[in-house]
Amino acid sequence: EASAAMAGEAAGGQAQLEHESDAALVACAAEARAALVAQVAELEMDDQLAQGGGADAGEIAELFLAEQPVPPQLLAAAVRRLALSSIAVPTLCGSSLHGIGVEPLMDALLAFLPGANERPAPRLQ
């Protein structure tokens, strides 16, 4: 079936889809990214207000409110800030079947979660 045919695995561990499923996949990804940007913008604004920063929005919130595109690096940095401050928890889905989804998961762990040197030292009793 052409709409669900898997062409195989491309370099970098990402699967490629063929035919009319491509347009639906791209539309779904764009919708999910827009929802992520909106959520990050809202969390940034809430965090600014909670810290007593007034109504100043974060970078993502400013771009979102101005209906400007948000660069991927800026979005990733905002998600990392929110995760490190325990405001948000990045959640990913995937499957290790045939190795699909493992590399993006590992990349997300490195991008969003703190390293051992970024955590406070444990308190010993």
Side-chain angles (χ1 to χ4, degrees), residues 70-94:
V70 176
Q73 299 84 357
L74 188 60
L75 183 58
V79 170
R80 179 175 172 79
R81 268 192 316 275
L82 293 169
L84 292 178
S85 61
S86 299
I87 293 171
V89 177
T91 306
L92 294 103
C93 299

mmCIF file with all atom_site columns, all heavy atoms in Angstrom, residues 70-94:
data_model
loop_
_atom_site.group_PDB
_atom_site.id
_atom_site.type_symbol
_atom_site.label_atom_id
_atom_site.label_alt_id
_atom_site.label_comp_id
_atom_site.label_asym_id
_atom_site.label_entity_id
_atom_site.label_seq_id
_atom_site.pdbx_PDB_ins_code
_atom_site.Cartn_x
_atom_site.Cartn_y
_atom_site.Cartn_z
_atom_site.occupancy
_atom_site.B_iso_or_equiv
_atom_site.pdbx_formal_charge
_atom_site.auth_seq_id
_atom_site.auth_comp_id
_atom_site.auth_asym_id
_atom_site.auth_atom_id
_atom_site.pdbx_PDB_model_num
ATOM 1   N N   . VAL A 1 70 ? 10.063 30.370 14.884 1.00 0.00 ? 70 VAL A N   1
ATOM 2   C CA  . VAL A 1 70 ? 10.972 30.114 16.009 1.00 0.00 ? 70 VAL A CA  1
ATOM 3   C C   . VAL A 1 70 ? 12.066 29.168 15.515 1.00 0.00 ? 70 VAL A C   1
ATOM 4   O O   . VAL A 1 70 ? 11.771 28.048 15.104 1.00 0.00 ? 70 VAL A O   1
ATOM 5   C CB  . VAL A 1 70 ? 10.220 29.485 17.197 1.00 0.00 ? 70 VAL A CB  1
ATOM 6   C CG1 . VAL A 1 70 ? 11.179 29.139 18.320 1.00 0.00 ? 70 VAL A CG1 1
ATOM 7   C CG2 . VAL A 1 70 ? 9.113  30.410 17.674 1.00 0.00 ? 70 VAL A CG2 1
ATOM 8   N N   . PRO A 1 71 ? 13.330 29.622 15.565 1.00 0.00 ? 71 PRO A N   1
ATOM 9   C CA  . PRO A 1 71 ? 14.425 28.742 15.128 1.00 0.00 ? 71 PRO A CA  1
ATOM 10  C C   . PRO A 1 71 ? 14.519 27.498 16.015 1.00 0.00 ? 71 PRO A C   1
ATOM 11  O O   . PRO A 1 71 ? 14.289 27.580 17.232 1.00 0.00 ? 71 PRO A O   1
ATOM 12  C CB  . PRO A 1 71 ? 15.678 29.612 15.293 1.00 0.00 ? 71 PRO A CB  1
ATOM 13  C CG  . PRO A 1 71 ? 15.186 31.016 15.382 1.00 0.00 ? 71 PRO A CG  1
ATOM 14  C CD  . PRO A 1 71 ? 13.800 30.948 15.952 1.00 0.00 ? 71 PRO A CD  1
ATOM 15  N N   . PRO A 1 72 ? 14.852 26.356 15.433 1.00 0.00 ? 72 PRO A N   1
ATOM 16  C CA  . PRO A 1 72 ? 14.939 25.109 16.215 1.00 0.00 ? 72 PRO A CA  1
ATOM 17  C C   . PRO A 1 72 ? 15.900 25.195 17.399 1.00 0.00 ? 72 PRO A C   1
ATOM 18  O O   . PRO A 1 72 ? 15.618 24.663 18.466 1.00 0.00 ? 72 PRO A O   1
ATOM 19  C CB  . PRO A 1 72 ? 15.422 24.070 15.201 1.00 0.00 ? 72 PRO A CB  1
ATOM 20  C CG  . PRO A 1 72 ? 15.117 24.637 13.876 1.00 0.00 ? 72 PRO A CG  1
ATOM 21  C CD  . PRO A 1 72 ? 15.123 26.123 14.019 1.00 0.00 ? 72 PRO A CD  1
ATOM 22  N N   . GLN A 1 73 ? 17.041 25.873 17.224 1.00 0.00 ? 73 GLN A N   1
ATOM 23  C CA  . GLN A 1 73 ? 18.015 25.973 18.302 1.00 0.00 ? 73 GLN A CA  1
ATOM 24  C C   . GLN A 1 73 ? 17.445 26.763 19.478 1.00 0.00 ? 73 GLN A C   1
ATOM 25  O O   . GLN A 1 73 ? 17.680 26.424 20.638 1.00 0.00 ? 73 GLN A O   1
ATOM 26  C CB  . GLN A 1 73 ? 19.311 26.655 17.823 1.00 0.00 ? 73 GLN A CB  1
ATOM 27  C CG  . GLN A 1 73 ? 20.018 25.917 16.718 1.00 0.00 ? 73 GLN A CG  1
ATOM 28  C CD  . GLN A 1 73 ? 19.470 26.247 15.323 1.00 0.00 ? 73 GLN A CD  1
ATOM 29  O OE1 . GLN A 1 73 ? 18.511 26.990 15.158 1.00 0.00 ? 73 GLN A OE1 1
ATOM 30  N NE2 . GLN A 1 73 ? 20.084 25.653 14.316 1.00 0.00 ? 73 GLN A NE2 1
ATOM 31  N N   . LEU A 1 74 ? 16.688 27.807 19.178 1.00 0.00 ? 74 LEU A N   1
ATOM 32  C CA  . LEU A 1 74 ? 16.084 28.629 20.230 1.00 0.00 ? 74 LEU A CA  1
ATOM 33  C C   . LEU A 1 74 ? 15.006 27.845 20.968 1.00 0.00 ? 74 LEU A C   1
ATOM 34  O O   . LEU A 1 74 ? 14.908 27.908 22.193 1.00 0.00 ? 74 LEU A O   1
ATOM 35  C CB  . LEU A 1 74 ? 15.498 29.904 19.620 1.00 0.00 ? 74 LEU A CB  1
ATOM 36  C CG  . LEU A 1 74 ? 14.989 30.957 20.585 1.00 0.00 ? 74 LEU A CG  1
ATOM 37  C CD1 . LEU A 1 74 ? 16.097 31.440 21.500 1.00 0.00 ? 74 LEU A CD1 1
ATOM 38  C CD2 . LEU A 1 74 ? 14.407 32.121 19.806 1.00 0.00 ? 74 LEU A CD2 1
ATOM 39  N N   . LEU A 1 75 ? 14.217 27.058 20.226 1.00 0.00 ? 75 LEU A N   1
ATOM 40  C CA  . LEU A 1 75 ? 13.183 26.238 20.846 1.00 0.00 ? 75 LEU A CA  1
ATOM 41  C C   . LEU A 1 75 ? 13.805 25.168 21.742 1.00 0.00 ? 75 LEU A C   1
ATOM 42  O O   . LEU A 1 75 ? 13.362 24.956 22.873 1.00 0.00 ? 75 LEU A O   1
ATOM 43  C CB  . LEU A 1 75 ? 12.303 25.597 19.765 1.00 0.00 ? 75 LEU A CB  1
ATOM 44  C CG  . LEU A 1 75 ? 11.132 24.765 20.242 1.00 0.00 ? 75 LEU A CG  1
ATOM 45  C CD1 . LEU A 1 75 ? 10.183 25.585 21.112 1.00 0.00 ? 75 LEU A CD1 1
ATOM 46  C CD2 . LEU A 1 75 ? 10.387 24.177 19.054 1.00 0.00 ? 75 LEU A CD2 1
ATOM 47  N N   . ALA A 1 76 ? 14.859 24.525 21.255 1.00 0.00 ? 76 ALA A N   1
ATOM 48  C CA  . ALA A 1 76 ? 15.536 23.498 22.058 1.00 0.00 ? 76 ALA A CA  1
ATOM 49  C C   . ALA A 1 76 ? 16.131 24.100 23.332 1.00 0.00 ? 76 ALA A C   1
ATOM 50  O O   . ALA A 1 76 ? 16.040 23.503 24.405 1.00 0.00 ? 76 ALA A O   1
ATOM 51  C CB  . ALA A 1 76 ? 16.618 22.810 21.236 1.00 0.00 ? 76 ALA A CB  1
ATOM 52  N N   . ALA A 1 77 ? 16.724 25.286 23.219 1.00 0.00 ? 77 ALA A N   1
ATOM 53  C CA  . ALA A 1 77 ? 17.303 25.937 24.400 1.00 0.00 ? 77 ALA A CA  1
ATOM 54  C C   . ALA A 1 77 ? 16.213 26.295 25.414 1.00 0.00 ? 77 ALA A C   1
ATOM 55  O O   . ALA A 1 77 ? 16.419 26.151 26.624 1.00 0.00 ? 77 ALA A O   1
ATOM 56  C CB  . ALA A 1 77 ? 18.063 27.194 23.979 1.00 0.00 ? 77 ALA A CB  1
ATOM 57  N N   . ALA A 1 78 ? 15.053 26.722 24.934 1.00 0.00 ? 78 ALA A N   1
ATOM 58  C CA  . ALA A 1 78 ? 13.952 27.059 25.843 1.00 0.00 ? 78 ALA A CA  1
ATOM 59  C C   . ALA A 1 78 ? 13.416 25.815 26.539 1.00 0.00 ? 78 ALA A C   1
ATOM 60  O O   . ALA A 1 78 ? 13.143 25.837 27.739 1.00 0.00 ? 78 ALA A O   1
ATOM 61  C CB  . ALA A 1 78 ? 12.836 27.761 25.074 1.00 0.00 ? 78 ALA A CB  1
ATOM 62  N N   . VAL A 1 79 ? 13.285 24.719 25.803 1.00 0.00 ? 79 VAL A N   1
ATOM 63  C CA  . VAL A 1 79 ? 12.825 23.461 26.414 1.00 0.00 ? 79 VAL A CA  1
ATOM 64  C C   . VAL A 1 79 ? 13.825 23.009 27.467 1.00 0.00 ? 79 VAL A C   1
ATOM 65  O O   . VAL A 1 79 ? 13.451 22.577 28.558 1.00 0.00 ? 79 VAL A O   1
ATOM 66  C CB  . VAL A 1 79 ? 12.597 22.371 25.345 1.00 0.00 ? 79 VAL A CB  1
ATOM 67  C CG1 . VAL A 1 79 ? 12.351 21.015 25.983 1.00 0.00 ? 79 VAL A CG1 1
ATOM 68  C CG2 . VAL A 1 79 ? 11.435 22.744 24.436 1.00 0.00 ? 79 VAL A CG2 1
ATOM 69  N N   . ARG A 1 80 ? 15.109 23.138 27.181 1.00 0.00 ? 80 ARG A N   1
ATOM 70  C CA  . ARG A 1 80 ? 16.142 22.760 28.148 1.00 0.00 ? 80 ARG A CA  1
ATOM 71  C C   . ARG A 1 80 ? 16.050 23.621 29.417 1.00 0.00 ? 80 ARG A C   1
ATOM 72  O O   . ARG A 1 80 ? 16.113 23.101 30.527 1.00 0.00 ? 80 ARG A O   1
ATOM 73  C CB  . ARG A 1 80 ? 17.529 22.891 27.531 1.00 0.00 ? 80 ARG A CB  1
ATOM 74  C CG  . ARG A 1 80 ? 18.651 22.540 28.506 1.00 0.00 ? 80 ARG A CG  1
ATOM 75  C CD  . ARG A 1 80 ? 20.003 22.561 27.811 1.00 0.00 ? 80 ARG A CD  1
ATOM 76  N NE  . ARG A 1 80 ? 21.097 22.421 28.739 1.00 0.00 ? 80 ARG A NE  1
ATOM 77  C CZ  . ARG A 1 80 ? 21.508 21.293 29.290 1.00 0.00 ? 80 ARG A CZ  1
ATOM 78  N NH1 . ARG A 1 80 ? 20.879 20.168 29.006 1.00 0.00 ? 80 ARG A NH1 1
ATOM 79  N NH2 . ARG A 1 80 ? 22.526 21.265 30.121 1.00 0.00 ? 80 ARG A NH2 1
ATOM 80  N N   . ARG A 1 81 ? 15.909 24.939 29.248 1.00 0.00 ? 81 ARG A N   1
ATOM 81  C CA  . ARG A 1 81 ? 15.771 25.829 30.417 1.00 0.00 ? 81 ARG A CA  1
ATOM 82  C C   . ARG A 1 81 ? 14.574 25.431 31.263 1.00 0.00 ? 81 ARG A C   1
ATOM 83  O O   . ARG A 1 81 ? 14.656 25.384 32.488 1.00 0.00 ? 81 ARG A O   1
ATOM 84  C CB  . ARG A 1 81 ? 15.589 27.281 29.955 1.00 0.00 ? 81 ARG A CB  1
ATOM 85  C CG  . ARG A 1 81 ? 16.835 28.073 29.822 1.00 0.00 ? 81 ARG A CG  1
ATOM 86  C CD  . ARG A 1 81 ? 16.566 29.567 29.655 1.00 0.00 ? 81 ARG A CD  1
ATOM 87  N NE  . ARG A 1 81 ? 15.498 29.918 28.744 1.00 0.00 ? 81 ARG A NE  1
ATOM 88  C CZ  . ARG A 1 81 ? 15.622 30.046 27.429 1.00 0.00 ? 81 ARG A CZ  1
ATOM 89  N NH1 . ARG A 1 81 ? 16.800 29.855 26.870 1.00 0.00 ? 81 ARG A NH1 1
ATOM 90  N NH2 . ARG A 1 81 ? 14.597 30.378 26.676 1.00 0.00 ? 81 ARG A NH2 1
ATOM 91  N N   . LEU A 1 82 ? 13.451 25.151 30.613 1.00 0.00 ? 82 LEU A N   1
ATOM 92  C CA  . LEU A 1 82 ? 12.239 24.775 31.345 1.00 0.00 ? 82 LEU A CA  1
ATOM 93  C C   . LEU A 1 82 ? 12.425 23.432 32.048 1.00 0.00 ? 82 LEU A C   1
ATOM 94  O O   . LEU A 1 82 ? 11.954 23.235 33.169 1.00 0.00 ? 82 LEU A O   1
ATOM 95  C CB  . LEU A 1 82 ? 11.039 24.735 30.408 1.00 0.00 ? 82 LEU A CB  1
ATOM 96  C CG  . LEU A 1 82 ? 10.608 26.095 29.845 1.00 0.00 ? 82 LEU A CG  1
ATOM 97  C CD1 . LEU A 1 82 ? 9.596  25.904 28.718 1.00 0.00 ? 82 LEU A CD1 1
ATOM 98  C CD2 . LEU A 1 82 ? 10.044 26.979 30.940 1.00 0.00 ? 82 LEU A CD2 1
ATOM 99  N N   . ALA A 1 83 ? 13.125 22.502 31.404 1.00 0.00 ? 83 ALA A N   1
ATOM 100 C CA  . ALA A 1 83 ? 13.367 21.187 32.017 1.00 0.00 ? 83 ALA A CA  1
ATOM 101 C C   . ALA A 1 83 ? 14.324 21.306 33.202 1.00 0.00 ? 83 ALA A C   1
ATOM 102 O O   . ALA A 1 83 ? 14.094 20.703 34.255 1.00 0.00 ? 83 ALA A O   1
ATOM 103 C CB  . ALA A 1 83 ? 13.925 20.218 30.979 1.00 0.00 ? 83 ALA A CB  1
ATOM 104 N N   . LEU A 1 84 ? 15.386 22.096 33.048 1.00 0.00 ? 84 LEU A N   1
ATOM 105 C CA  . LEU A 1 84 ? 16.361 22.237 34.128 1.00 0.00 ? 84 LEU A CA  1
ATOM 106 C C   . LEU A 1 84 ? 15.773 22.945 35.341 1.00 0.00 ? 84 LEU A C   1
ATOM 107 O O   . LEU A 1 84 ? 16.206 22.704 36.467 1.00 0.00 ? 84 LEU A O   1
ATOM 108 C CB  . LEU A 1 84 ? 17.600 22.989 33.636 1.00 0.00 ? 84 LEU A CB  1
ATOM 109 C CG  . LEU A 1 84 ? 18.458 22.244 32.617 1.00 0.00 ? 84 LEU A CG  1
ATOM 110 C CD1 . LEU A 1 84 ? 19.620 23.120 32.165 1.00 0.00 ? 84 LEU A CD1 1
ATOM 111 C CD2 . LEU A 1 84 ? 18.951 20.925 33.154 1.00 0.00 ? 84 LEU A CD2 1
ATOM 112 N N   . SER A 1 85 ? 14.786 23.802 35.110 1.00 0.00 ? 85 SER A N   1
ATOM 113 C CA  . SER A 1 85 ? 14.157 24.502 36.233 1.00 0.00 ? 85 SER A CA  1
ATOM 114 C C   . SER A 1 85 ? 12.937 23.750 36.759 1.00 0.00 ? 85 SER A C   1
ATOM 115 O O   . SER A 1 85 ? 12.198 24.278 37.579 1.00 0.00 ? 85 SER A O   1
ATOM 116 C CB  . SER A 1 85 ? 13.784 25.925 35.821 1.00 0.00 ? 85 SER A CB  1
ATOM 117 O OG  . SER A 1 85 ? 12.863 25.898 34.756 1.00 0.00 ? 85 SER A OG  1
ATOM 118 N N   . SER A 1 86 ? 12.722 22.524 36.287 1.00 0.00 ? 86 SER A N   1
ATOM 119 C CA  . SER A 1 86 ? 11.610 21.659 36.711 1.00 0.00 ? 86 SER A CA  1
ATOM 120 C C   . SER A 1 86 ? 10.233 22.257 36.428 1.00 0.00 ? 86 SER A C   1
ATOM 121 O O   . SER A 1 86 ? 9.263  21.958 37.113 1.00 0.00 ? 86 SER A O   1
ATOM 122 C CB  . SER A 1 86 ? 11.728 21.308 38.197 1.00 0.00 ? 86 SER A CB  1
ATOM 123 O OG  . SER A 1 86 ? 12.915 20.612 38.444 1.00 0.00 ? 86 SER A OG  1
ATOM 124 N N   . ILE A 1 87 ? 10.152 23.094 35.410 1.00 0.00 ? 87 ILE A N   1
ATOM 125 C CA  . ILE A 1 87 ? 8.870  23.663 35.003 1.00 0.00 ? 87 ILE A CA  1
ATOM 126 C C   . ILE A 1 87 ? 8.184  22.738 34.003 1.00 0.00 ? 87 ILE A C   1
ATOM 127 O O   . ILE A 1 87 ? 6.967  22.636 33.980 1.00 0.00 ? 87 ILE A O   1
ATOM 128 C CB  . ILE A 1 87 ? 9.079  25.064 34.404 1.00 0.00 ? 87 ILE A CB  1
ATOM 129 C CG1 . ILE A 1 87 ? 9.558  26.008 35.493 1.00 0.00 ? 87 ILE A CG1 1
ATOM 130 C CG2 . ILE A 1 87 ? 7.823  25.587 33.737 1.00 0.00 ? 87 ILE A CG2 1
ATOM 131 C CD1 . ILE A 1 87 ? 10.001 27.355 34.994 1.00 0.00 ? 87 ILE A CD1 1
ATOM 132 N N   . ALA A 1 88 ? 8.973  22.058 33.187 1.00 0.00 ? 88 ALA A N   1
ATOM 133 C CA  . ALA A 1 88 ? 8.431  21.163 32.163 1.00 0.00 ? 88 ALA A CA  1
ATOM 134 C C   . ALA A 1 88 ? 9.251  19.878 32.138 1.00 0.00 ? 88 ALA A C   1
ATOM 135 O O   . ALA A 1 88 ? 10.413 19.861 32.543 1.00 0.00 ? 88 ALA A O   1
ATOM 136 C CB  . ALA A 1 88 ? 8.471  21.836 30.797 1.00 0.00 ? 88 ALA A CB  1
ATOM 137 N N   . VAL A 1 89 ? 8.634  18.834 31.646 1.00 0.00 ? 89 VAL A N   1
ATOM 138 C CA  . VAL A 1 89 ? 9.303  17.547 31.483 1.00 0.00 ? 89 VAL A CA  1
ATOM 139 C C   . VAL A 1 89 ? 9.176  17.137 30.019 1.00 0.00 ? 89 VAL A C   1
ATOM 140 O O   . VAL A 1 89 ? 8.076  16.840 29.556 1.00 0.00 ? 89 VAL A O   1
ATOM 141 C CB  . VAL A 1 89 ? 8.670  16.457 32.385 1.00 0.00 ? 89 VAL A CB  1
ATOM 142 C CG1 . VAL A 1 89 ? 9.338  15.118 32.150 1.00 0.00 ? 89 VAL A CG1 1
ATOM 143 C CG2 . VAL A 1 89 ? 8.730  16.856 33.834 1.00 0.00 ? 89 VAL A CG2 1
ATOM 144 N N   . PRO A 1 90 ? 10.282 17.164 29.272 1.00 0.00 ? 90 PRO A N   1
ATOM 145 C CA  . PRO A 1 90 ? 10.209 16.737 27.871 1.00 0.00 ? 90 PRO A CA  1
ATOM 146 C C   . PRO A 1 90 ? 9.786  15.274 27.792 1.00 0.00 ? 90 PRO A C   1
ATOM 147 O O   . PRO A 1 90 ? 10.293 14.431 28.530 1.00 0.00 ? 90 PRO A O   1
ATOM 148 C CB  . PRO A 1 90 ? 11.639 16.915 27.356 1.00 0.00 ? 90 PRO A CB  1
ATOM 149 C CG  . PRO A 1 90 ? 12.313 17.788 28.351 1.00 0.00 ? 90 PRO A CG  1
ATOM 150 C CD  . PRO A 1 90 ? 11.616 17.578 29.657 1.00 0.00 ? 90 PRO A CD  1
ATOM 151 N N   . THR A 1 91 ? 8.846  14.982 26.924 1.00 0.00 ? 91 THR A N   1
ATOM 152 C CA  . THR A 1 91 ? 8.342  13.625 26.768 1.00 0.00 ? 91 THR A CA  1
ATOM 153 C C   . THR A 1 91 ? 8.459  13.226 25.311 1.00 0.00 ? 91 THR A C   1
ATOM 154 O O   . THR A 1 91 ? 8.026  13.965 24.429 1.00 0.00 ? 91 THR A O   1
ATOM 155 C CB  . THR A 1 91 ? 6.867  13.546 27.214 1.00 0.00 ? 91 THR A CB  1
ATOM 156 O OG1 . THR A 1 91 ? 6.772  14.054 28.546 1.00 0.00 ? 91 THR A OG1 1
ATOM 157 C CG2 . THR A 1 91 ? 6.361  12.130 27.171 1.00 0.00 ? 91 THR A CG2 1
ATOM 158 N N   . LEU A 1 92 ? 9.042  12.076 25.060 1.00 0.00 ? 92 LEU A N   1
ATOM 159 C CA  . LEU A 1 92 ? 9.224  11.590 23.706 1.00 0.00 ? 92 LEU A CA  1
ATOM 160 C C   . LEU A 1 92 ? 8.597  10.218 23.562 1.00 0.00 ? 92 LEU A C   1
ATOM 161 O O   . LEU A 1 92 ? 8.484  9.486  24.532 1.00 0.00 ? 92 LEU A O   1
ATOM 162 C CB  . LEU A 1 92 ? 10.711 11.499 23.364 1.00 0.00 ? 92 LEU A CB  1
ATOM 163 C CG  . LEU A 1 92 ? 11.406 12.840 23.313 1.00 0.00 ? 92 LEU A CG  1
ATOM 164 C CD1 . LEU A 1 92 ? 12.213 13.061 24.549 1.00 0.00 ? 92 LEU A CD1 1
ATOM 165 C CD2 . LEU A 1 92 ? 12.250 12.925 22.089 1.00 0.00 ? 92 LEU A CD2 1
ATOM 166 N N   . CYS A 1 93 ? 8.235  9.898  22.355 1.00 0.00 ? 93 CYS A N   1
ATOM 167 C CA  . CYS A 1 93 ? 7.688  8.578  22.046 1.00 0.00 ? 93 CYS A CA  1
ATOM 168 C C   . CYS A 1 93 ? 8.528  7.970  20.934 1.00 0.00 ? 93 CYS A C   1
ATOM 169 O O   . CYS A 1 93 ? 9.060  8.680  20.095 1.00 0.00 ? 93 CYS A O   1
ATOM 170 C CB  . CYS A 1 93 ? 6.240  8.689  21.577 1.00 0.00 ? 93 CYS A CB  1
ATOM 171 S SG  . CYS A 1 93 ? 5.155  9.402  22.801 1.00 0.00 ? 93 CYS A SG  1
ATOM 172 N N   . GLY A 1 94 ? 8.626  6.676  20.926 1.00 0.00 ? 94 GLY A N   1
ATOM 173 C CA  . GLY A 1 94 ? 9.376  6.014  19.876 1.00 0.00 ? 94 GLY A CA  1
ATOM 174 C C   . GLY A 1 94 ? 9.322  4.520  20.041 1.00 0.00 ? 94 GLY A C   1
ATOM 175 O O   . GLY A 1 94 ? 8.623  3.995  20.907 1.00 0.00 ? 94 GLY A O   1
#
